[in-house]
Amino acid sequence: MNGTSGGVRSWPVYIMIVLTTVNFLNYIDQRLLSAVLESIKTEWALTDAQGGLLGSMFVIVYTVVAPVGFLGDRMRRKNLIAGGVLLWSLATVAAAFARDYHELLVARALLGVGEACYATIAPSIIADLYSKDLRSRKLAYFYLATPVGSALGYILGGYIGEFYGWRAVFLVGGLPGLLFALLAFLMVEPKRGQYDDEPLSSGPGMSLGATIKRLFKTPAWRINTVGLALLTFTIGGLALWMPSYLERVHGMSAGQAGTIFGGVTVIAGICGTLLGGRLGDRMQARSPGGFFRLSGMGLLASSPFIVLMTVIGWLPGIFIVVFVAEMLLFLNTGPLNAALIGCVPVQMRGAAFAVNVLCIHAFGDALSNVLLGVVSDAATPVLGSAAAGLSLAVAATAIPVAVGGVVLLRGARWIARQPNGLMTYPG
């Protein structure tokens, strides 16, 4: 039972299955828009900038609401998670009935509210289920939902959208979450900090302002957040615009683009995430800063492959390069989240994730989704075609991950020289 109580629902396996499946649904619902964006733009005669705003609206609201994770350090986490899942599932269903562009923007905003309640809190529960030497691996399993859910979102969205229309895509995507909201509510939470060395404070928690101040004084947290923000800029932009890129530049149908890109994403994501989880634990065990060292190498190596996939004309070659680039990007998932958990006290984990999420999305995909659309619109008349404009926008996403890789590698060297390694928060 690993220190939990309350019967079968408190077993780590039950909690891991529920939380991982919910995360899986989370990314399906996020990526449905990408699969049908071209269809929506055509129906309502939208520009690329307006289409990008549909993606950014979710991220902007998600970012603003992210500090709700601070409540996860003070309230029953399962209730916040269950409420968030219920809200985002209803919002996804509501998107199917949007009568115009503005109503769809509202539905995307509500999706951001619901998902913020989940994503900032769930990792802290997983941290309380397993010892330190297993966390990177277990968090890697949890974050397998990122590539697998994203891939299924592309595949289901592309297939259903091609044959039944984009509204059916959102309807099918939202319904399963209603069941899992109930299953999340039935969980019994593990004891906070049961596998950590430092005692969990029994006194009143720090204020939000004091907590944020302490986080920004934590070097490892700052390094992690900057690196993740730059990674999120690139991943968010590619996630929204790659299906459109394949349709517009290479003439693929929505079903073909979603299915093939989704298939490549799921294989690359599984390989990268599992490999990163295992290598991260090993590199961190050898020396402090190992989590950042592995992630930095992965981000830096992915940059040239992102540029290469926009200049290759041979379609199978494009997907080979996409596979390599995505595998290198997903390599960081387990290590960076394990590092985030390890660099703050137990009673601050919810806040650490909440403020981290706020920062990485505010300076990451909240910008890139719409910015890539703006760049594409601006470059189109200069380069002579909408295809060339979008190609330039996609290639530009190589720059942030290259910078992020340098930041993480420099951070790894700095942390390795500290007497207490990653645990560099002030006393």
Side-chain angles (χ1 to χ4, degrees):
M1 296 279 289
N2 281 0
T4 58
S5 61
V8 68
R9 289 193 302 273
S10 66
W11 288 357
V13 66
Y14 175 88
I15 297 173
M16 278 295 296
I17 289 174
V18 171
L19 293 182
T20 302
T21 305
V22 170
N23 207 29
F24 178 75
L25 297 174
N26 167 14
Y27 281 95
I28 290 178
D29 289 354
Q30 283 187 37
R31 302 308 178 211
L32 292 177
L33 175 68
S34 304
V36 295
L37 182 58
E38 288 294 292
S39 298
I40 295 172
K41 286 175 68 265
T42 299
E43 179 174 329
W44 288 336
L46 305 178
T47 65
D48 278 350
Q50 289 174 311
L53 183 58
L54 284 172
S56 288
M57 179 57 68
F58 155 75
V59 182
I60 291 168
V61 175
Y62 180 97
T63 301
V64 171
V65 180
V68 75
F70 181 72
L71 298 177
D73 293 326
R74 289 157 174 74
M75 298 173 58
R76 291 180 68 83
R77 293 170 288 184
K78 68 167 189 174
N79 294 342
L80 292 169
I81 287 173
V85 176
L86 178 62
L87 177 58
W88 100 51
S89 300
L90 292 173
T92 302
V93 172
F97 300 97
R99 293 169 294 183
D100 56 34
Y101 175 70
H102 296 96
E103 289 188 1
L104 187 55
L105 277 176
V106 172
R108 295 292 296 176
L110 291 175
L111 179 71
V113 175
E115 294 196 7
C117 294
Y118 170 77
T120 59
I121 297 170
S124 70
I125 294 181
I126 293 174
D128 291 334
L129 293 174
Y130 300 101
S131 58
K132 293 180 180 180
D133 60 333
L134 293 175
R135 281 180 189 158
S136 176
R137 216 168 309 169
K138 297 302 181 181
L139 284 166
Y141 296 150
F142 172 73
Y143 283 108
L144 274 177
T146 304
V148 176
S150 296
L152 193 54
Y154 295 131
I155 294 169
L156 286 176
Y159 179 81
I160 296 173
E162 185 171 346
F163 291 99
Y164 300 101
W166 65 265
R167 295 178 185 277
V169 170
F170 291 113
L171 185 61
V172 172
L175 293 176
L178 302 178
L179 169 62
F180 277 87
L182 174 62
L183 295 179
F185 180 75
L186 294 176
M187 292 189 306
V188 176
E189 293 187 32
K191 180 182 177 182
R192 296 178 191 259
Q194 63 179 334
Y195 290 113
D196 291 272
D197 298 329
E198 71 270 19
L200 182 63
S201 173
S202 59
M206 298 169 64
S207 67
L208 178 58
T211 299
I212 293 174
K213 183 177 180 180
R214 183 164 177 172
L215 286 174
F216 279 95
K217 286 184 176 180
T218 305
W221 185 90
R222 294 198 307 266
I223 294 165
N224 190 306
T225 300
V226 172
L228 268 173
L230 292 164
L231 169 62
T232 303
F233 186 101
T234 294
I235 285 185
L238 292 178
L240 180 66
W241 286 107
M242 273 304 292
S244 293
Y245 169 82
L246 293 170
E247 293 177 50
R248 190 182 306 178
V249 177
H250 296 285
M252 300 180 74
S253 69
Q256 289 175 327
T259 300
I260 298 177
F261 181 64
V264 171
T265 296
V266 71
I267 297 172
I270 290 173
C271 293
T273 303
L274 291 179
L275 181 62
R278 290 189 175 276
L279 289 179
D281 282 335
R282 292 179 183 178
M283 292 181 69
Q284 183 67 18
R286 285 202 293 267
S287 67
F291 288 146
F292 288 165
R293 188 173 302 108
L294 175 65
S295 297
M297 290 188 296
L299 296 192
L300 200 57
S302 70
S303 181
F305 288 98
I306 294 173
V307 176
L308 186 59
M309 71 188 186
T310 65
V311 297
I312 295 178
W314 182 49
L315 204 55
I318 291 172
F319 286 111
I320 292 172
V321 174
V322 168
F323 170 83
V324 176
E326 290 194 314
M327 186 179 71
L328 291 169
L329 291 175
F330 282 114
L331 198 69
N332 84 90
T333 306
L336 285 187
N337 282 282
L340 189 61
I341 285 172
C343 71
V344 296
V346 174
Q347 58 266 33
M348 288 177 57
R349 283 179 180 156
F353 270 93
V355 182
N356 174 270
V357 165
L358 188 154
C359 293
I360 69 173
H361 290 294
F363 299 103
D365 46 358
L367 293 175
S368 66
N369 283 338
V370 68
L371 186 58
L372 264 62
V374 171
V375 170
S376 177
D377 286 336
T380 292
V382 176
L383 298 178
S385 71
L390 187 55
S391 294
L392 176 65
V394 169
T397 62
I399 299 172
V401 287
V403 176
V406 172
V407 169
L408 290 171
L409 288 173
R410 288 176 61 88
R413 288 196 295 270
W414 184 89
I415 288 171
R417 295 195 297 267
Q418 306 310 304
N420 56 345
L422 268 180
M423 301 303 291
T424 51
Y425 56 85

